[in-house]
Amino acid sequence: MANALVSVQIIPKTKNGEDVIPYVDEAIAIIDASGVPYHVSPLETTMEGEISNLLEIVEKMNQRMEELGCPSVISQVKIFFQPSGASMDTLTEKYR
């Protein structure tokens, strides 16, 4: 069972002031390719898994922004860690 939820909002500074949405789409593609469960919300994406793996994904997202030519990136990260297990469904089940 997963032991963490990590929510991330990535805010890249673009080379020429372009729209950031295509860059955010690239970041979400990194999450998707990782195979971890995730949920995209309007302002952040939440992933479920082992904390070390999820933090590696955040690192890969930032590296991708660098590859795309972004001079800087802000990554706002929230972590819920529970060694006995953590899931998005458990935390939100009363709202469904």
Side-chain angles (χ1 to χ4, degrees), residues 43-85:
L43 299 177
E44 66 187 11
T45 299
T46 301
M47 304 177 285
E48 181 179 307
E50 298 302 311
I51 193 167
S52 59
N53 185 40
L54 299 178
L55 293 174
E56 285 177 19
I57 294 167
V58 172
E59 182 178 18
K60 288 178 184 176
M61 293 166 68
N62 280 271
Q63 290 169 343
R64 181 67 181 134
M65 296 302 104
E66 180 183 14
E67 291 168 5
L68 293 172
C70 296
S72 65
V73 182
I74 296 172
S75 295
Q76 296 189 45
V77 178
K78 291 185 258 182
I79 299 171
F80 173 70
F81 176 72
Q82 185 167 296
S84 63

